[in-house]
Short mmCIF file of all heavy atoms in Angstrom, two decimals:
data_model
loop_
_atom_site.label_atom_id
_atom_site.label_comp_id
_atom_site.label_asym_id
_atom_site.label_seq_id
_atom_site.Cartn_x
_atom_site.Cartn_y
_atom_site.Cartn_z
N MET A 1 -43.25 53.77 3.91
CA MET A 1 -42.44 54.36 4.95
C MET A 1 -40.99 54.17 4.65
O MET A 1 -40.10 55.08 4.78
CB MET A 1 -42.77 53.72 6.29
CG MET A 1 -41.84 54.19 7.43
SD MET A 1 -42.42 53.52 8.98
CE MET A 1 -41.01 54.10 10.03
N SER A 2 -40.55 53.00 4.20
CA SER A 2 -39.19 52.75 3.90
C SER A 2 -38.77 53.51 2.67
O SER A 2 -37.58 53.89 2.46
CB SER A 2 -38.87 51.28 3.67
OG SER A 2 -39.46 50.81 2.47
N ARG A 3 -39.77 53.91 1.85
CA ARG A 3 -39.44 54.77 0.68
C ARG A 3 -38.79 56.08 1.06
O ARG A 3 -37.85 56.58 0.48
CB ARG A 3 -40.79 54.96 -0.06
CG ARG A 3 -40.71 56.02 -1.16
CD ARG A 3 -40.53 55.33 -2.61
NE ARG A 3 -40.13 56.24 -3.56
CZ ARG A 3 -39.08 56.16 -4.39
NH1 ARG A 3 -38.33 55.12 -4.27
NH2 ARG A 3 -38.83 57.09 -5.28
N GLU A 4 -39.39 56.68 2.10
CA GLU A 4 -38.85 57.95 2.62
C GLU A 4 -37.42 57.75 3.13
O GLU A 4 -36.56 58.56 3.01
CB GLU A 4 -39.73 58.51 3.73
CG GLU A 4 -40.66 59.68 3.15
CD GLU A 4 -41.55 60.16 4.28
OE1 GLU A 4 -41.03 60.48 5.36
OE2 GLU A 4 -42.78 60.24 4.04
N LEU A 5 -37.21 56.66 3.86
CA LEU A 5 -35.90 56.39 4.34
C LEU A 5 -34.83 56.21 3.21
O LEU A 5 -33.75 56.57 3.34
CB LEU A 5 -35.93 55.10 5.30
CG LEU A 5 -36.72 55.30 6.62
CD1 LEU A 5 -36.90 54.00 7.31
CD2 LEU A 5 -36.13 56.29 7.48
N TRP A 6 -35.32 55.49 2.13
CA TRP A 6 -34.41 55.41 1.07
C TRP A 6 -34.08 56.71 0.39
O TRP A 6 -32.95 56.94 0.02
CB TRP A 6 -35.05 54.53 -0.07
CG TRP A 6 -34.86 53.00 0.21
CD1 TRP A 6 -35.85 52.13 0.44
CD2 TRP A 6 -33.66 52.25 0.12
NE1 TRP A 6 -35.35 50.89 0.59
CE2 TRP A 6 -33.95 50.93 0.37
CE3 TRP A 6 -32.33 52.63 -0.14
CZ2 TRP A 6 -32.96 49.91 0.42
CZ3 TRP A 6 -31.35 51.61 -0.11
CH2 TRP A 6 -31.75 50.34 0.17
N ILE A 7 -35.10 57.64 0.31
CA ILE A 7 -34.74 58.93 -0.14
C ILE A 7 -33.79 59.66 0.77
O ILE A 7 -32.84 60.32 0.20
CB ILE A 7 -36.12 59.80 -0.30
CG1 ILE A 7 -36.90 59.13 -1.37
CG2 ILE A 7 -35.81 61.19 -0.59
CD1 ILE A 7 -38.39 59.62 -1.44
N ASN A 8 -33.93 59.52 2.03
CA ASN A 8 -32.94 60.17 2.95
C ASN A 8 -31.57 59.57 2.70
O ASN A 8 -30.56 60.24 2.70
CB ASN A 8 -33.46 59.97 4.41
CG ASN A 8 -34.63 60.81 4.67
OD1 ASN A 8 -34.95 61.79 4.00
ND2 ASN A 8 -35.34 60.47 5.78
N ALA A 9 -31.49 58.28 2.78
CA ALA A 9 -30.25 57.55 2.52
C ALA A 9 -29.62 58.03 1.21
O ALA A 9 -28.37 58.30 1.16
CB ALA A 9 -30.41 55.98 2.45
N GLY A 10 -30.40 58.14 0.15
CA GLY A 10 -29.86 58.49 -1.07
C GLY A 10 -29.32 59.98 -1.13
O GLY A 10 -28.32 60.18 -1.72
N SER A 11 -30.04 60.83 -0.42
CA SER A 11 -29.63 62.19 -0.37
C SER A 11 -28.25 62.31 0.39
O SER A 11 -27.44 63.16 -0.01
CB SER A 11 -30.64 63.11 0.23
OG SER A 11 -30.81 62.84 1.57
N VAL A 12 -28.05 61.53 1.41
CA VAL A 12 -26.75 61.48 2.08
C VAL A 12 -25.62 60.96 1.24
O VAL A 12 -24.57 61.43 1.11
CB VAL A 12 -26.85 60.77 3.45
CG1 VAL A 12 -25.50 60.63 4.05
CG2 VAL A 12 -27.82 61.48 4.34
N LEU A 13 -25.95 59.80 0.69
CA LEU A 13 -24.96 59.01 -0.14
C LEU A 13 -24.62 59.69 -1.42
O LEU A 13 -23.57 59.41 -2.03
CB LEU A 13 -25.40 57.56 -0.27
CG LEU A 13 -25.36 56.81 1.02
CD1 LEU A 13 -26.09 55.38 0.82
CD2 LEU A 13 -24.00 56.55 1.56
N ALA A 14 -25.60 60.42 -1.99
CA ALA A 14 -25.25 61.21 -3.17
C ALA A 14 -24.21 62.19 -2.97
O ALA A 14 -23.31 62.49 -3.85
CB ALA A 14 -26.51 61.95 -3.65
N VAL A 15 -24.10 62.77 -1.82
CA VAL A 15 -23.06 63.76 -1.44
C VAL A 15 -21.75 63.08 -1.03
O VAL A 15 -20.68 63.38 -1.41
CB VAL A 15 -23.60 64.69 -0.32
CG1 VAL A 15 -22.45 65.67 0.05
CG2 VAL A 15 -24.80 65.48 -0.77
N ASP A 16 -21.93 62.07 -0.16
CA ASP A 16 -20.75 61.33 0.41
C ASP A 16 -20.95 59.81 0.33
O ASP A 16 -21.62 59.27 1.30
CB ASP A 16 -20.55 61.85 1.83
CG ASP A 16 -19.32 61.10 2.52
OD1 ASP A 16 -18.67 60.43 1.76
OD2 ASP A 16 -19.06 61.26 3.67
N PRO A 17 -20.39 59.18 -0.69
CA PRO A 17 -20.65 57.76 -0.82
C PRO A 17 -19.96 56.97 0.28
O PRO A 17 -20.24 55.74 0.44
CB PRO A 17 -19.97 57.45 -2.20
CG PRO A 17 -19.02 58.54 -2.45
CD PRO A 17 -19.63 59.77 -1.77
N ASN A 18 -19.14 57.59 1.06
CA ASN A 18 -18.47 56.85 2.18
C ASN A 18 -19.21 57.06 3.49
O ASN A 18 -18.76 56.51 4.53
CB ASN A 18 -17.03 57.30 2.39
CG ASN A 18 -16.17 56.98 1.10
OD1 ASN A 18 -16.19 55.84 0.64
ND2 ASN A 18 -15.47 57.99 0.54
N ALA A 19 -20.32 57.75 3.45
CA ALA A 19 -21.09 57.98 4.73
C ALA A 19 -21.61 56.71 5.21
O ALA A 19 -21.90 55.76 4.43
CB ALA A 19 -22.14 59.02 4.47
N SER A 20 -21.76 56.49 6.53
CA SER A 20 -22.35 55.36 7.11
C SER A 20 -23.83 55.58 7.18
O SER A 20 -24.32 56.37 7.98
CB SER A 20 -21.77 55.03 8.50
OG SER A 20 -20.43 54.70 8.36
N VAL A 21 -24.62 54.90 6.42
CA VAL A 21 -26.01 54.98 6.38
C VAL A 21 -26.67 53.56 6.69
O VAL A 21 -26.46 52.65 5.96
CB VAL A 21 -26.58 55.56 5.13
CG1 VAL A 21 -28.08 55.68 5.11
CG2 VAL A 21 -26.03 57.00 4.80
N LYS A 22 -27.47 53.56 7.72
CA LYS A 22 -28.09 52.26 8.05
C LYS A 22 -29.13 51.88 7.01
O LYS A 22 -29.78 52.74 6.38
CB LYS A 22 -28.83 52.44 9.42
CG LYS A 22 -27.82 52.31 10.56
CD LYS A 22 -27.57 50.93 10.99
CE LYS A 22 -26.57 50.85 12.22
NZ LYS A 22 -25.23 51.20 11.87
N CYS A 23 -29.25 50.63 6.73
CA CYS A 23 -30.14 50.08 5.76
C CYS A 23 -31.56 50.51 6.17
O CYS A 23 -32.04 50.36 7.26
CB CYS A 23 -30.13 48.52 5.85
SG CYS A 23 -31.46 47.78 4.93
N PRO A 24 -32.42 51.11 5.17
CA PRO A 24 -33.75 51.56 5.47
C PRO A 24 -34.73 50.37 5.78
O PRO A 24 -35.75 50.57 6.35
CB PRO A 24 -34.14 52.23 4.23
CG PRO A 24 -32.84 52.73 3.58
CD PRO A 24 -31.93 51.52 3.95
N GLU A 25 -34.34 49.17 5.31
CA GLU A 25 -35.29 48.02 5.48
C GLU A 25 -35.05 47.29 6.88
O GLU A 25 -35.98 47.17 7.62
CB GLU A 25 -35.05 47.01 4.39
CG GLU A 25 -35.23 47.60 2.94
CD GLU A 25 -36.64 48.05 2.63
OE1 GLU A 25 -37.56 47.62 3.43
OE2 GLU A 25 -36.86 48.79 1.79
N CYS A 26 -33.83 46.93 7.15
CA CYS A 26 -33.57 46.14 8.38
C CYS A 26 -32.95 47.10 9.45
O CYS A 26 -33.07 46.68 10.69
CB CYS A 26 -32.70 44.98 8.11
SG CYS A 26 -30.96 45.38 7.71
N GLY A 27 -32.33 48.17 9.13
CA GLY A 27 -31.80 49.15 10.14
C GLY A 27 -30.60 48.49 10.86
O GLY A 27 -30.26 49.09 11.91
N GLU A 28 -30.02 47.49 10.42
CA GLU A 28 -28.96 46.73 11.29
C GLU A 28 -27.63 46.76 10.58
O GLU A 28 -26.64 46.44 11.21
CB GLU A 28 -29.45 45.35 11.49
CG GLU A 28 -30.61 45.37 12.51
CD GLU A 28 -30.92 44.00 12.96
OE1 GLU A 28 -30.02 43.03 12.90
OE2 GLU A 28 -32.04 43.70 13.38
N ALA A 29 -27.55 47.12 9.35
CA ALA A 29 -26.28 47.14 8.67
C ALA A 29 -26.10 48.48 7.81
O ALA A 29 -27.14 49.06 7.39
CB ALA A 29 -26.11 45.98 7.73
N ASP A 30 -24.88 48.87 7.63
CA ASP A 30 -24.59 50.03 6.82
C ASP A 30 -24.72 49.67 5.33
O ASP A 30 -24.21 48.53 4.89
CB ASP A 30 -23.27 50.67 7.02
CG ASP A 30 -23.23 51.33 8.43
OD1 ASP A 30 -24.28 51.65 8.92
OD2 ASP A 30 -22.05 51.60 8.94
N LEU A 31 -25.32 50.50 4.54
CA LEU A 31 -25.42 50.30 3.10
C LEU A 31 -24.06 50.34 2.44
O LEU A 31 -23.28 51.10 2.78
CB LEU A 31 -26.34 51.32 2.46
CG LEU A 31 -27.82 51.29 2.92
CD1 LEU A 31 -28.51 52.57 2.31
CD2 LEU A 31 -28.49 50.01 2.36
N LYS A 32 -23.84 49.35 1.59
CA LYS A 32 -22.64 49.39 0.74
C LYS A 32 -23.04 50.10 -0.54
O LYS A 32 -24.00 50.03 -1.16
CB LYS A 32 -22.27 47.96 0.29
CG LYS A 32 -21.94 47.06 1.51
CD LYS A 32 -20.66 47.48 2.15
CE LYS A 32 -20.27 46.60 3.33
NZ LYS A 32 -19.46 47.31 4.33
N VAL A 33 -22.04 50.94 -1.00
CA VAL A 33 -22.25 51.84 -2.15
C VAL A 33 -21.23 51.57 -3.21
O VAL A 33 -20.04 51.38 -2.95
CB VAL A 33 -22.15 53.27 -1.72
CG1 VAL A 33 -22.36 54.28 -2.92
CG2 VAL A 33 -23.19 53.61 -0.60
N PHE A 34 -21.74 51.46 -4.50
CA PHE A 34 -20.75 51.53 -5.61
C PHE A 34 -21.42 52.16 -6.79
O PHE A 34 -22.63 52.28 -6.93
CB PHE A 34 -20.29 50.08 -5.99
CG PHE A 34 -21.31 49.15 -6.50
CD1 PHE A 34 -21.54 48.99 -7.88
CD2 PHE A 34 -22.26 48.48 -5.64
CE1 PHE A 34 -22.43 48.14 -8.43
CE2 PHE A 34 -23.27 47.67 -6.12
CZ PHE A 34 -23.32 47.48 -7.50
N ASP A 35 -20.54 52.75 -7.61
CA ASP A 35 -21.01 53.55 -8.72
C ASP A 35 -20.72 52.86 -10.05
O ASP A 35 -19.72 52.14 -10.18
CB ASP A 35 -20.23 54.88 -8.80
CG ASP A 35 -20.59 55.79 -7.66
OD1 ASP A 35 -21.55 55.52 -6.97
OD2 ASP A 35 -19.84 56.68 -7.38
N THR A 36 -21.63 53.01 -11.03
CA THR A 36 -21.32 52.62 -12.40
C THR A 36 -21.74 53.72 -13.27
O THR A 36 -22.46 54.63 -12.94
CB THR A 36 -22.26 51.39 -12.84
OG1 THR A 36 -23.61 51.70 -12.65
CG2 THR A 36 -21.92 50.21 -11.95
N LYS A 37 -20.97 53.80 -14.40
CA LYS A 37 -21.17 54.92 -15.36
C LYS A 37 -22.55 54.81 -16.03
O LYS A 37 -22.94 53.68 -16.40
CB LYS A 37 -20.02 54.89 -16.36
CG LYS A 37 -19.76 56.20 -17.00
CD LYS A 37 -18.35 56.24 -17.65
CE LYS A 37 -18.12 57.26 -18.67
NZ LYS A 37 -18.65 58.59 -18.26
N ALA A 38 -23.20 55.89 -16.25
CA ALA A 38 -24.41 55.92 -16.87
C ALA A 38 -24.50 57.03 -17.94
O ALA A 38 -24.90 58.13 -17.62
CB ALA A 38 -25.63 56.00 -15.87
N GLY A 39 -23.94 56.81 -19.13
CA GLY A 39 -23.83 57.83 -20.09
C GLY A 39 -22.59 58.76 -19.84
O GLY A 39 -21.82 58.38 -18.98
N GLU A 40 -22.52 59.83 -20.60
CA GLU A 40 -21.39 60.70 -20.48
C GLU A 40 -21.27 61.52 -19.27
O GLU A 40 -20.17 61.80 -18.75
CB GLU A 40 -21.38 61.65 -21.72
CG GLU A 40 -20.98 61.02 -23.01
CD GLU A 40 -19.59 60.34 -22.94
OE1 GLU A 40 -18.61 61.00 -22.48
OE2 GLU A 40 -19.46 59.13 -23.24
N ASP A 41 -22.47 61.94 -18.73
CA ASP A 41 -22.38 62.84 -17.58
C ASP A 41 -23.20 62.48 -16.40
O ASP A 41 -23.46 63.30 -15.51
CB ASP A 41 -22.88 64.25 -18.15
CG ASP A 41 -24.21 64.11 -18.75
OD1 ASP A 41 -24.79 63.05 -18.87
OD2 ASP A 41 -24.76 65.20 -19.35
N HIS A 42 -23.52 61.16 -16.32
CA HIS A 42 -24.16 60.71 -15.12
C HIS A 42 -23.54 59.35 -14.65
O HIS A 42 -22.89 58.68 -15.41
CB HIS A 42 -25.65 60.39 -15.40
CG HIS A 42 -26.50 61.62 -15.45
ND1 HIS A 42 -26.52 62.43 -16.56
CD2 HIS A 42 -27.50 62.14 -14.64
CE1 HIS A 42 -27.37 63.50 -16.41
NE2 HIS A 42 -27.88 63.25 -15.13
N ILE A 43 -23.65 59.14 -13.33
CA ILE A 43 -23.32 57.82 -12.82
C ILE A 43 -24.60 57.33 -12.20
O ILE A 43 -25.51 57.99 -11.82
CB ILE A 43 -22.25 57.86 -11.77
CG1 ILE A 43 -22.58 58.84 -10.61
CG2 ILE A 43 -20.86 58.23 -12.37
CD1 ILE A 43 -21.72 58.69 -9.31
N GLU A 44 -24.72 55.93 -12.04
CA GLU A 44 -25.68 55.35 -11.31
C GLU A 44 -25.00 54.89 -9.99
O GLU A 44 -23.95 54.20 -9.98
CB GLU A 44 -26.25 54.15 -11.95
CG GLU A 44 -27.56 53.67 -11.42
CD GLU A 44 -28.27 52.70 -12.20
OE1 GLU A 44 -27.75 52.17 -13.28
OE2 GLU A 44 -29.41 52.30 -11.84
N ARG A 45 -25.60 55.32 -8.84
CA ARG A 45 -25.00 55.00 -7.54
C ARG A 45 -25.94 53.99 -6.95
O ARG A 45 -27.10 54.17 -6.60
CB ARG A 45 -24.97 56.26 -6.64
CG ARG A 45 -24.40 56.03 -5.28
CD ARG A 45 -23.77 57.24 -4.68
NE ARG A 45 -22.53 57.51 -5.37
CZ ARG A 45 -21.88 58.74 -5.23
NH1 ARG A 45 -22.31 59.60 -4.50
NH2 ARG A 45 -20.79 58.91 -5.96
N HIS A 46 -25.33 52.68 -6.73
CA HIS A 46 -26.08 51.62 -6.20
C HIS A 46 -25.87 51.53 -4.70
O HIS A 46 -24.80 51.65 -4.19
CB HIS A 46 -25.54 50.30 -6.84
CG HIS A 46 -25.61 50.42 -8.35
ND1 HIS A 46 -26.63 49.93 -9.08
CD2 HIS A 46 -24.67 50.78 -9.17
CE1 HIS A 46 -26.38 50.11 -10.36
NE2 HIS A 46 -25.18 50.67 -10.50
N MET A 47 -26.98 51.22 -4.04
CA MET A 47 -26.82 51.13 -2.48
C MET A 47 -27.44 49.85 -2.15
O MET A 47 -28.66 49.51 -2.51
CB MET A 47 -27.73 52.24 -1.85
CG MET A 47 -27.19 53.64 -2.29
SD MET A 47 -28.37 54.98 -1.83
CE MET A 47 -29.68 54.69 -2.98
N ARG A 48 -26.73 48.96 -1.51
CA ARG A 48 -27.16 47.61 -1.20
C ARG A 48 -26.85 47.31 0.25
O ARG A 48 -25.77 47.56 0.70
CB ARG A 48 -26.53 46.61 -2.18
CG ARG A 48 -27.05 45.22 -2.04
CD ARG A 48 -26.42 44.26 -3.03
NE ARG A 48 -27.01 42.93 -2.90
CZ ARG A 48 -26.59 42.10 -1.99
NH1 ARG A 48 -25.69 42.45 -1.08
NH2 ARG A 48 -27.22 40.91 -1.82
N CYS A 49 -27.72 46.54 0.90
CA CYS A 49 -27.54 46.14 2.26
C CYS A 49 -26.95 44.80 2.24
O CYS A 49 -27.44 43.82 1.71
CB CYS A 49 -28.94 46.13 3.03
SG CYS A 49 -28.77 45.41 4.68
N PRO A 50 -25.81 44.59 2.92
CA PRO A 50 -25.10 43.25 2.91
C PRO A 50 -25.81 42.30 3.85
O PRO A 50 -25.55 41.11 3.78
CB PRO A 50 -23.75 43.60 3.47
CG PRO A 50 -23.93 44.89 4.24
CD PRO A 50 -24.95 45.63 3.60
N ARG A 51 -26.72 42.80 4.65
CA ARG A 51 -27.38 41.85 5.58
C ARG A 51 -28.76 41.33 4.98
O ARG A 51 -28.87 40.05 4.99
CB ARG A 51 -27.72 42.58 6.88
CG ARG A 51 -28.34 41.66 7.91
CD ARG A 51 -28.54 42.48 9.23
NE ARG A 51 -29.01 41.57 10.29
CZ ARG A 51 -30.33 41.26 10.36
NH1 ARG A 51 -31.26 41.73 9.57
NH2 ARG A 51 -30.72 40.45 11.36
N CYS A 52 -29.59 42.21 4.50
CA CYS A 52 -30.89 41.70 4.11
C CYS A 52 -31.04 41.77 2.53
O CYS A 52 -32.01 41.31 2.01
CB CYS A 52 -32.05 42.50 4.76
SG CYS A 52 -32.17 44.14 4.16
N GLY A 53 -30.07 42.37 1.93
CA GLY A 53 -30.09 42.42 0.41
C GLY A 53 -30.96 43.46 -0.13
O GLY A 53 -31.15 43.58 -1.36
N ALA A 54 -31.45 44.43 0.66
CA ALA A 54 -32.29 45.52 0.18
C ALA A 54 -31.45 46.32 -0.79
O ALA A 54 -30.19 46.49 -0.65
CB ALA A 54 -32.73 46.37 1.31
N TYR A 55 -32.07 46.96 -1.83
CA TYR A 55 -31.35 47.55 -2.80
C TYR A 55 -32.05 48.80 -3.39
O TYR A 55 -33.28 48.76 -3.54
CB TYR A 55 -31.05 46.55 -4.02
CG TYR A 55 -30.47 47.24 -5.28
CD1 TYR A 55 -29.13 47.45 -5.35
CD2 TYR A 55 -31.37 47.61 -6.24
CE1 TYR A 55 -28.62 48.12 -6.47
CE2 TYR A 55 -30.82 48.25 -7.38
CZ TYR A 55 -29.44 48.51 -7.49
OH TYR A 55 -28.92 49.17 -8.63
N SER A 56 -31.31 49.77 -3.68
CA SER A 56 -31.88 50.94 -4.40
C SER A 56 -30.70 51.54 -5.18
O SER A 56 -29.55 51.25 -4.99
CB SER A 56 -32.54 51.95 -3.42
OG SER A 56 -33.18 52.96 -4.18
N ALA A 57 -31.06 52.48 -6.07
CA ALA A 57 -30.03 53.16 -6.81
C ALA A 57 -30.59 54.58 -7.19
O ALA A 57 -31.76 54.84 -7.15
CB ALA A 57 -29.72 52.40 -8.12
N LEU A 58 -29.60 55.41 -7.43
CA LEU A 58 -29.95 56.77 -7.87
C LEU A 58 -29.06 57.25 -9.00
O LEU A 58 -27.92 56.70 -9.13
CB LEU A 58 -29.94 57.74 -6.68
CG LEU A 58 -28.51 57.92 -5.99
CD1 LEU A 58 -27.72 59.00 -6.51
CD2 LEU A 58 -28.80 58.18 -4.51
N TYR A 59 -29.55 58.17 -9.80
CA TYR A 59 -28.71 58.76 -10.80
C TYR A 59 -28.08 60.02 -10.27
O TYR A 59 -28.77 60.81 -9.56
CB TYR A 59 -29.56 59.06 -12.11
CG TYR A 59 -29.75 57.90 -12.89
CD1 TYR A 59 -30.97 57.24 -12.86
CD2 TYR A 59 -28.77 57.49 -13.80
CE1 TYR A 59 -31.18 56.07 -13.67
CE2 TYR A 59 -28.93 56.32 -14.59
CZ TYR A 59 -30.14 55.68 -14.50
OH TYR A 59 -30.33 54.57 -15.32
N LYS A 60 -26.92 60.28 -10.64
CA LYS A 60 -26.19 61.50 -10.25
C LYS A 60 -25.49 62.13 -11.37
O LYS A 60 -24.77 61.53 -12.11
CB LYS A 60 -25.23 61.12 -9.11
CG LYS A 60 -24.44 62.29 -8.53
CD LYS A 60 -23.61 61.83 -7.36
CE LYS A 60 -22.59 62.89 -6.92
NZ LYS A 60 -23.32 64.16 -6.38
N ASN A 61 -25.69 63.46 -11.58
CA ASN A 61 -24.97 64.28 -12.54
C ASN A 61 -23.56 64.46 -12.10
O ASN A 61 -23.49 64.98 -11.00
CB ASN A 61 -25.77 65.50 -12.75
CG ASN A 61 -25.22 66.26 -13.95
OD1 ASN A 61 -24.02 66.27 -14.30
ND2 ASN A 61 -26.13 66.97 -14.68
N ILE A 62 -22.55 64.09 -12.90
CA ILE A 62 -21.21 64.29 -12.51
C ILE A 62 -20.60 65.47 -13.17
O ILE A 62 -19.36 65.76 -13.06
CB ILE A 62 -20.38 63.07 -12.69
CG1 ILE A 62 -20.41 62.59 -14.11
CG2 ILE A 62 -20.80 61.93 -11.75
CD1 ILE A 62 -19.51 61.41 -14.48
N THR A 63 -21.33 66.30 -13.87
CA THR A 63 -20.70 67.46 -14.56
C THR A 63 -20.89 68.70 -13.68
O THR A 63 -20.29 69.73 -13.98
CB THR A 63 -21.46 67.79 -15.93
OG1 THR A 63 -22.86 67.99 -15.66
CG2 THR A 63 -21.25 66.61 -16.82
N GLU A 64 -21.56 68.66 -12.65
CA GLU A 64 -21.78 69.84 -11.74
C GLU A 64 -20.62 70.15 -10.92
O GLU A 64 -19.88 69.27 -10.39
CB GLU A 64 -22.93 69.49 -10.80
CG GLU A 64 -24.29 69.55 -11.55
CD GLU A 64 -25.49 69.16 -10.63
OE1 GLU A 64 -25.24 68.53 -9.61
OE2 GLU A 64 -26.58 69.32 -11.01
ZN1 ZN B 101 -30.93 45.58 5.45
#
């Protein structure tokens, strides 16, 4: 169930990393987002909850 919420969170944060998205696990804090470079044309976007430590990441093509 939280898997679907992570997918929703990821789809929002892929477009707008400054969006306020509640943690899919605890639902009580907004996810913190930061990017790292992943090769020439992708970034890895990390999403972490400052409250419970839940974490996920997604790859994003930055050449589009
Ligand atoms: Zn949380």
Side-chain angles (χ1 to χ4, degrees):
M1 176 174 171
S2 69
R3 173 97 192 127
E4 261 178 47
L5 293 173
W6 275 114
I7 292 168
N8 289 342
S11 65
V12 171
L13 292 170
V15 176
D16 179 6
N18 297 312
S20 293
V21 177
K22 284 276 182 284
C23 170
E25 302 293 342
C26 70
E28 291 188 24
D30 288 343
L31 292 171
K32 299 291 183 209
V33 178
F34 66 98
D35 294 342
T36 56
K37 202 160 164 44
E40 284 305 307
D41 53 3
H42 284 73
I43 57 168
E44 194 168 9
R45 179 152 292 165
H46 307 267
M47 301 169 286
R48 188 176 180 281
C49 174
R51 185 177 183 278
C52 72
Y55 170 84
S56 188
L58 59 91
Y59 279 102
K60 183 176 166 63
N61 189 325
I62 54 174
T63 60
E64 289 171 344

